[in-house]
Amino acid sequence: MEKLYYSIGEVAGLLDENVSAIRFWSNTFTQFVKPVRTAKGNRQFTAADLEVFKKIKHLLKVDSLTIEGAIKVLEGDTAKVDNSVKVLESLKQIRGQLVEIKKSL
């Protein structure tokens, strides 16, 4: 069962990023990521926010776009980015499985 909300630390862990990077992206890409704040003021992110963070990471780290460039892409058709993110996630999963098989030999 998928969680309703993820803490900033959970998002950072799932994306293998620093909490500070997630906080920066959350503050920079406000039109795409809309965290809910707890009573203490902590950010809580939805699964949709997590998907946006995956796209942001891909655009900034893999495609080496500037923040302005990433915003332009996110404002347009993101089908190509969605596909790239899914392919990379699949490849990482396959790599993990291969590492496990290698360990068992």
Side-chain angles (χ1 to χ4, degrees):
M1 182 175 198
E2 191 174 288
K3 292 177 70 168
L4 290 177
Y5 294 103
Y6 297 88
S7 70
I8 193 167
E10 289 172 321
V11 172
L14 290 169
L15 295 177
D16 195 28
E17 280 295 330
N18 295 322
V19 171
S20 60
I22 302 303
R23 188 176 298 110
F24 175 75
W25 294 345
S26 175
N27 292 335
T28 304
F29 294 89
T30 55
Q31 65 267 46
F32 308 106
V33 178
K34 307 213 182 294
V36 175
R37 296 283 184 153
T38 65
K40 291 182 178 182
N42 296 330
R43 293 172 176 92
Q44 295 285 299
F45 300 99
T46 64
D49 292 331
L50 182 60
E51 292 303 314
V52 173
F53 279 127
K54 289 177 183 178
K55 292 176 194 176
I56 292 169
K57 179 179 178 177
H58 180 81
L59 291 169
L60 297 177
K61 305 273 180 147
V62 177
D63 291 347
S64 301
L65 294 179
T66 63
I67 290 173
E68 293 80 17
I71 289 171
K72 286 181 182 178
V73 170
L74 291 172
E75 288 173 339
D77 183 20
T78 61
K80 185 177 178 182
V81 177
D82 293 337
N83 189 39
S84 295
V85 169
K86 287 178 185 174
V87 167
L88 286 175
E89 286 178 350
S90 295
L91 289 173
K92 286 179 185 177
Q93 184 180 17
I94 291 168
R95 184 173 192 269
Q97 291 171 345
L98 290 173
V99 168
E100 289 300 317
I101 290 171
K102 184 180 176 184
K103 287 179 183 177
S104 69
L105 295 177

